[in-house]
Amino acid sequence: MAFKEKIKLRTAITADIASITQLYTETVLTVCTGEYNQNELETWASLGQNLERWKDRIKNQYFLIAELGEKIVGFASLSHEGYLDVFYIHKDYQRRGIAFTLYNTLEEQAIRLSLKNIIADVSKTAKPFFEKQGFLTLREQLNHLKGYILVNYKMEKKI
């Protein structure tokens, strides 16, 4: 589906944290239901409530916000070492090119930083997208969180 408005990317600021945490929580709880059960989703979503961690990401990473008009429809961050830390697209704006736009911009930043690869911890839900971007799975990971085990994948793309 094409947008009437162009996706705009900008650097995240701490004033975005409330919108970021809402998008994060809603996306985890709705988009990932085919791959994770409700308890796993709620545990995962609860990780987004750590406001200091969001502030730290915004301050210390290349953290982008994707907007359509004034609405935040996605966000992603890349550390200076090449770790793709967070990557979420609004639940109502999936499969519309936002993830592709965000990812390409992060990869361009990685190239500017002369990084050799990008590493990410990727959910079962996001794995097909990352594979399409050229990422390879290094290993399956079993994350023990609050009594639950959440499966994700350590993935890498050489650039």
Side-chain angles (χ1 to χ4, degrees), residues 20 24 44 53-54 57-58 61-64 74-79 83-89 102 106 119-121 130:
I20 287 169
Y24 170 91
W44 179 5
R53 191 156 181 213
W54 290 113
R57 286 177 175 126
I58 289 169
Q61 297 180 5
Y62 182 67
F63 196 125
L64 294 175
F75 61 85
S77 74
L78 181 73
S79 76
Y83 179 65
L84 197 157
D85 190 4
V86 291
F87 196 94
Y88 291 88
I89 307 304
L102 275 169
L106 290 182
I119 298 285
D121 294 310
F130 281 90

Side-chain angles (χ1 to χ4, degrees), residues 29-97:
L29 293 176
T30 59
V31 173
C32 304
T33 57
E35 295 81 22
Y36 298 92
N37 69 42
Q38 191 62 35
N39 289 329
E40 292 167 336
L41 294 172
E42 289 174 8
T43 300
W44 179 5
S46 73
L47 300 177
Q49 300 310 309
N50 184 338
L51 301 183
E52 289 305 313
R53 191 156 181 213
W54 290 113
K55 288 177 189 174
D56 183 63
R57 286 177 175 126
I58 289 169
K59 179 181 176 188
N60 296 308
Q61 297 180 5
Y62 182 67
F63 196 125
L64 294 175
I65 297 287
E67 293 180 318
L68 282 173
E70 300 300 313
K71 183 173 186 65
I72 294 176
V73 294
F75 61 85
S77 74
L78 181 73
S79 76
H80 300 295
E81 298 77 34
Y83 179 65
L84 197 157
D85 190 4
V86 291
F87 196 94
Y88 291 88
I89 307 304
H90 190 288
K91 65 182 180 65
D92 297 333
Y93 293 86
Q94 298 280 312
R95 293 178 172 72
R96 298 188 188 186

Side-chain angles (χ1 to χ4, degrees), residues 128-158:
F129 170 81
F130 281 90
E131 289 172 334
K132 288 179 186 172
Q133 308 317 308
F135 279 76
L136 299 175
T137 302
L138 300 176
R139 67 183 170 276
E140 180 180 87
Q141 302 180 124
L142 304 177
N143 299 289
H144 298 267
L145 297 169
K146 300 180 182 178
Y148 298 99
I149 297 174
L150 278 74
V151 175
N152 71 1
Y153 304 92
K154 179 70 74 180
M155 298 186 78
E156 175 184 47
K157 180 177 181 180
K158 299 214 182 283

Side-chain angles (χ1 to χ4, degrees), residues 109-122:
Q109 175 69 2
I111 291 167
R112 282 191 292 276
L113 293 171
S114 300
L115 299 174
K116 302 289 185 238
N117 60 2
I118 298 173
I119 298 285
D121 294 310
V122 177

